Amino acid sequence: MKSVYFLAIIGLFSTILGCNNIKSDHPQADLSDANSTNLTTKSIIQYTDSIDKNLSQFSKSTSLVYMLGDLSFYVEKYSQNNQALLLVEHSYNGGTSSSLKKYYFKNDSLILEKDKNELANEEGTVFKDTRTYLRNNTVFKIENKTASTQAALNSLPYIDLPLSKNNKPDQSYLENVNSLNNVVNRNDKFDVVFESITTYPDSRYIILRSKIQNSYSASVLVKERDALIDSLLNDPINFKDQKLNFKWVVKDKEAVYVPVASNTSASGLNK
């Protein structure tokens, strides 16, 4: 039941739109083109491979690590010239399931969704890779492969999946990408506010919760104190239900607080 719940929740995300011919190994080479009718599976793979090779050149944003029940996830966004090139979703469901989804864009339009799933059950672990290709707001090819080990999966070729078995409507891809961007931008149900700060001797966490009841929460590990952390510890009631403005990094599936300089005042609220 957990695995079904996990797969349902992580289906937050995907998109649809369109793109162009790839003429260069660098992903920026064709971003100005407007047509998307000439995309092929080969040109899409060439283009997305070039994005992977040039990740260090792009601007990167990372979301908080959100939680809902046993599920936790975070999203990374890579952009150039204010255009999204890649969204990466990391999802975990306790120790039973994990998913890594990559969404590649051209001209702000989704052209490829790569989904790597690892699902543990009573019979062992199942590894599954799926690639979904999009053109002109429409899925035109789906391929996947499944194996009992990662090594075996890597050695297998992809097999075409009949489009008739794709039960996701085209509109859902755009809706899913909107959800991904909300995760990164802390919007809508991912707009979390201060709930409390723990004071355990061996670890300290900022606890954040969505303004929407029974929705997402997030925790941020605090390793070093600064003016904002001191204020939260000394007067947490004053910050209750307020949106905090701070920086973090994600390490080992956990958001870690980045302290500001010691002489910075504790103005940690978004006004």
Side-chain angles (χ1 to χ4, degrees):
M1 184 65 183
K2 278 188 175 181
S3 61
V4 173
Y5 173 71
F6 169 71
L7 293 174
I9 297 250
I10 65 172
L12 289 168
F13 321 118
S14 310
T15 306
I16 252 169
L17 294 164
C19 315
N20 331 12
N21 253 346
I22 311 320
K23 302 172 186 174
S24 169
D25 190 44
H26 194 280
Q28 281 300 105
D30 271 347
L31 287 183
S32 61
D33 294 343
N35 295 325
S36 58
T37 58
N38 297 324
L39 282 174
T40 65
T41 55
K42 181 179 179 180
S43 65
I44 287 175
I45 292 299
Q46 289 175 340
Y47 173 78
T48 56
D49 282 349
S50 71
I51 290 177
D52 291 336
K53 293 175 182 176
N54 289 281
L55 283 184
S56 62
Q57 300 181 25
F58 307 139
S59 300
K60 179 183 177 182
S61 301
T62 305
S63 76
L64 291 165
V65 179
Y66 288 92
M67 295 165 284
L68 183 63
D70 291 332
L71 174 69
S72 64
F73 61 92
Y74 67 97
V75 176
E76 298 167 310
K77 183 175 183 177
Y78 294 87
S79 307
Q80 191 166 53
N81 298 329
N82 295 319
Q83 286 192 314
L85 297 177
L86 173 65
L87 286 165
V88 183
E89 175 207 350
H90 306 258
S91 300
Y92 312 92
N93 190 33
T96 61
S97 308
S98 65
S99 173
L100 177 65
K101 290 188 175 183
K102 294 184 176 182
Y103 307 81
Y104 295 86
F105 299 84
K106 189 175 177 64
N107 296 332
D108 287 329
S109 300
L110 184 68
I111 59 173
L112 178 66
E113 175 187 314
K114 294 169 66 174
D115 189 356
K116 297 177 67 69
N117 278 293
E118 181 179 339
L119 177 62
N121 54 39
E122 296 78 6
E123 300 177 357
T125 303
V126 176
F127 297 83
K128 183 178 181 180
D129 282 6
T130 303
R131 297 196 299 206
T132 303
Y133 300 83
L134 299 101
R135 180 176 59 211
N136 291 337
N137 302 337
T138 304
V139 173
F140 70 91
K141 183 181 177 68
I142 302 176
E143 55 187 9
N144 63 16
K145 54 183 178 178
T146 305
S148 58
T149 67
Q150 186 63 57
L153 187 72
N154 293 340
S155 67
L156 292 175
Y158 282 94
I159 299 174
D160 285 357
L161 182 70
L163 291 181
S164 59
K165 293 189 176 182
N166 180 27
N167 56 7
K168 294 175 63 176
D170 289 347
Q171 180 61 27
S172 70
Y173 291 90
L174 179 59
E175 295 169 352
N176 291 336
V177 165
N178 287 337
S179 293
L180 282 175
N181 284 311
N182 284 337
V183 173
V184 174
N185 297 324
R186 293 174 66 181
N187 290 334
D188 194 37
K189 53 191 171 185
F190 304 103
D191 182 14
V192 289
V193 296
F194 178 73
E195 172 72 16
S196 63
I197 182 167
T198 64
T199 56
Y200 301 119
D202 56 343
S203 61
R204 182 176 288 117
Y205 286 89
I206 299 172
I207 307 301
L208 306 168
R209 299 194 183 280
S210 172
K211 297 177 181 179
I212 301 174
Q213 193 172 10
N214 299 322
S215 189
Y216 298 96
S217 64
S219 63
V220 183
L221 175 64
V222 178
K223 293 184 176 181
E224 299 179 50
R225 293 172 60 162
D226 61 6
L228 174 59
I229 299 303
D230 286 342
S231 297
L232 294 177
L233 290 169
N234 293 331
D235 191 12
I237 298 301
N238 187 48
F239 294 88
K240 180 77 171 178
D241 296 329
Q242 299 297 310
K243 188 170 183 177
L244 302 182
N245 181 23
F246 60 91
K247 294 182 179 181
W248 64 89
V249 295
V250 175
K251 296 182 179 179
D252 299 324
K253 308 176 186 178
E254 188 171 48
V256 180
Y257 181 81
V258 176
V260 297
S262 58
N263 61 352
T264 301
S265 64
S267 56
L269 298 177
N270 279 336
K271 302 298 184 181

